[in-house]
């Protein structure tokens, strides 16, 4: 009889594949199954945010994603009498190596992640669906059914539902999915468009709503997103219908042709009542669904997976206490709630049918948009929110400030900025990282070993620079996902030792590198 799995991943979309990549980097015993016979070939999600590229960089896939995608940094807002160019990500993203929104189809994203796993001997078991889950003590019996009808019983310590809005794991675990549906019907199409300036997002706004054209590249040059008009009969999505919508939205000069894929869909705003119930976890669309405003959905799901994966891996190999798994819901549920709230408000502004909103889109927006270019403070906040660089876990049980927290700079739970000698390019690698900042005579190199006892895989010493957000003397313990678990001011290591004793009670497995080179 095969030994129990550490983790069964149900669902092989971007969320499930990202989770599999992280578990593979730790050597965790897992399987990933998906009821679909093949990965998606149409585009669906199409934008990858800077923070997602950062978190995937440690697997070596971000550069390949960038090479295949279209890093658009501009928005062309077509109004009644003029077109306004609004830069995207020109403010507030100086601390990341990916200061852009990358347009790349979900099919390509899944392809890159799938190739990464295949190169490391991980196979996705497609055509295999989860039929039943049943808890027995500290394990879960999972009944799987393959495409030929053969059934298999698998035992796992943990089951992660990455299986979408109609999640079997969520239903089997008895977790509610609360929320509502929007009344509008939306149309999607990947197609050729003559007359559009390449390399930018184009938005056409009227009182009736908005139509968007996103630079996709593959499988077609453009993705169109628009609302089905109320006077358009329900039925098949056709190019003449899309052309009529474009013309009504003020895009009369465009010619739509040669569609690769067209569909319609309804939008929902729903969230799981819990992200964890015992051995069951939810991530991605299984935990939250919302409007596509801001390109947040797939990105939030991937970051769910990479928040959970290292915690499962470390608990399963005995390198962290079981209570570390409780921090998954504590950290990611607030993010899911915030994304649902943000996308709901953005949806209301762009598509709400209330007379006040229709009037604002038709009459006020043309006068207000030019002012946005000069409103640097709100633009910076909006861009960092959309780029997901501002996500923090300050209220997490696993975020601890020392007895002398820094008066300025990053706080416990914050994402570690991409400093000149920072760790951003390695945040997805196994292990915790110790970051020390301050004058050379205060670097306590000789005391690192007894404090960490081999529990941090990589020690990096950072020298303060002119652009550093760190205080004059600081120390921080950086989690595998690039967030600060512990940060304090001063050279004392008592707080660091206490934090490590709680969250890293034993020596971690895996390679260990010590880099104490002086700049």
């Amino acid at each position: 009889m095969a030994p129990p799995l550490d983790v069964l991943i149900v669902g092989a979309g971007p969320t499930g594949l990202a989770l599999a990549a992280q578990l593979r980097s730790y050597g965790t015993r897992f399987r990933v199954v998906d009821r679909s016979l093949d990965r998606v070939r149409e585009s669906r999600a199409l934008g990858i945010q800077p923070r997602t590229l950062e978190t995937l960089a440690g697997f070596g896939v971000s550069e390949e994603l960038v090479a295949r995608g279209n890093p658009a940094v501009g928005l062309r807002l077509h109004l009644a009498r003029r077109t306004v160019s609004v830069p995207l990500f020109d403010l507030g993203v100086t601390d990341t190596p990916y200061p852009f929104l990358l347009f790349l189809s979900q099919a390509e994203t899944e392809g890159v992640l799938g190739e990464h796993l295949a190169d490391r001997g991980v196979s996705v078991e497609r055509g295999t669906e989860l039929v039943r889950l049943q808890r027995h003590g500290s394990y879960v019996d999972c009944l799987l059914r393959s495409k030929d009808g053969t059934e298999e019983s698998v035992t796992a310590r943990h089951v992660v539902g990455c299986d979408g809005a109609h999640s079997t794991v969520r239903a089997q675990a008895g977790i509610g999915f609360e929320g509502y549906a929007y009344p509008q019907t939306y149309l999607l199409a990947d197609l050729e468009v003559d007359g559009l300036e390449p390399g930018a997002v184009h938005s056409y706004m009227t009182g009736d709503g908005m139509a968007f054209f996103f630079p996709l590249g593959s499988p077609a040059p453009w993705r169109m997103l628009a609302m089905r008009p109320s006077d358009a009969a329900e039925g098949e999505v056709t190019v003449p219908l899309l052309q009529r919508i474009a013309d009504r939205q003020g895009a009369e000069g465009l010619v739509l042709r040669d569609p690769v894929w067209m569909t319609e869909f309804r939008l929902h705003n729903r969230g799981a009542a819990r992200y964890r119930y015992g051995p069951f976890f939810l991530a991605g669309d299984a935990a939250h669904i919302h409007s596509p405003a801001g390109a947040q959905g797939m990105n939030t799901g991937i970051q769910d997976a990479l928040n959970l994966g290292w915690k499962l891996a470390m608990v399963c190999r005995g390198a962290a206490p079981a209570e570390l798994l409780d921090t998954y819901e504590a950290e990611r549920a607030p993010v899911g709630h915030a994304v649902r709230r943000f996308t709901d408000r953005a949806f209301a502004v762009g598509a709400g049918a209330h007379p006040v909103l229709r009037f604002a889109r038709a009459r006020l927006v043309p006068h207000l948009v030019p002012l946005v270019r000069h409103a640097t403070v709100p633009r910076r906040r909006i861009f960092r929110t959309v780029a997901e660089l501002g996500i923090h876990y300050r209220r997490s049980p696993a975020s601890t400030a020392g007895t002398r927290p820094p008066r300025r700079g990053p706080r416990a739970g914050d994402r570690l900025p991409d400093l000149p000698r920072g760790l951003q390019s390695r945040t997805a690698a196994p292990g915790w990282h110790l970051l020390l900042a301050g004058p050379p005579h205060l670097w306590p190199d000789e005391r690192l070993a007894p404090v960490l006892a081999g529990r941090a895989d990589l020690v990096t010493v950072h020298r303060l620079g002119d652009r550093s957000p760190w205080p004059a003397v600081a120390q921080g313990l950086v989690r595998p996902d690039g967030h600060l678990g512990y940060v304090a001011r001063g050279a004392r290591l008592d707080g660091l030792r206490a934090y490590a004793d709680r969250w890293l009670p034993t020596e971690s497995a895996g390679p260990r590198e010590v880099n104490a080179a002086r700049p």
Side-chain angles (χ1 to χ4, degrees), residues 66-85:
V66 172
R68 297 193 189 190
N70 186 343
V73 293
L75 168 66
R76 305 292 184 266
L77 189 55
H78 301 267
L79 305 173
R81 294 181 178 85
R82 58 180 163 174
T83 297
V84 178
S85 296

Side-chain angles (χ1 to χ4, degrees), residues 8-172:
L8 174 67
I9 303 172
V10 183
T15 301
L17 295 175
L19 177 59
Q22 190 167 61
L23 293 178
R24 173 63 181 82
S25 72
Y26 281 89
T28 306
R29 286 180 48 82
F30 72 93
R31 288 171 61 179
V32 54
V33 301
D34 193 294
R35 67 164 65 95
S36 300
L37 296 177
D38 194 5
R39 64 179 177 86
V40 299
R41 299 297 176 181
E42 63 275 5
S43 57
R44 299 188 185 181
L46 78 160
I48 306 180
Q49 300 290 354
R51 180 57 182 152
T52 302
L53 290 170
E54 286 182 355
T55 59
L56 292 173
F59 304 128
V61 300
S62 291
E63 297 309 316
E64 177 64 22
L65 292 171
V66 172
R68 297 193 189 190
N70 186 343
V73 293
L75 168 66
R76 305 292 184 266
L77 189 55
H78 301 267
L79 305 173
R81 294 181 178 85
R82 58 180 163 174
T83 297
V84 178
S85 296
V86 180
L88 297 176
F89 300 108
D90 63 323
L91 293 172
V93 288
T94 58
D95 59 347
T96 176
Y98 308 101
F100 47 78
L101 173 61
L102 180 69
F103 286 97
L104 184 67
S105 74
Q106 178 176 332
E108 289 287 332
T109 302
E110 290 188 15
V112 170
L113 290 171
E115 291 168 9
H116 170 83
L117 291 171
D119 290 343
R120 287 151 182 79
V122 177
S123 61
V124 177
E125 301 176 45
R126 299 198 178 275
T128 301
E129 66 174 320
L130 174 67
V131 178
R132 186 179 67 247
L133 296 172
Q134 190 169 3
R135 293 180 63 176
H136 288 289
S138 57
Y139 293 96
V140 181
D141 286 341
C142 314
L143 183 62
L144 306 178
R145 180 182 297 142
S146 63
K147 57 186 177 182
D148 62 3
T150 303
E151 294 187 345
E152 175 189 8
S153 182
V154 175
T155 302
R157 296 176 62 183
H158 307 282
V159 178
V160 184
C162 306
D163 47 346
H166 303 286
S167 171
T168 300
V169 174
R170 189 183 65 235
Q172 291 275 330

Side-chain angles (χ1 to χ4, degrees), residues 185-189 224-226 228 237 241-242 245 263-265:
T185 300
Y186 279 80
L187 309 179
L188 276 181
M224 179 181 180
L225 170 64
R228 180 186 284 275
V237 181
L241 172 60
L242 297 175
I245 293 173
T263 189
E264 65 178 4
F265 64 96

Side-chain angles (χ1 to χ4, degrees), residues 431-434 452-459 477 504 508 512-513:
W432 291 60
H433 313 274
L434 179 68
L452 296 175
R455 293 176 289 190
D457 290 336
L458 177 67
V459 175
L477 194 57
L504 298 170
S508 65
R512 183 169 188 267
E513 172 189 354

Side-chain angles (χ1 to χ4, degrees), residues 20 41 178 212 366 397 469 476:
R41 299 297 176 181
E178 303 157 357
F212 289 92

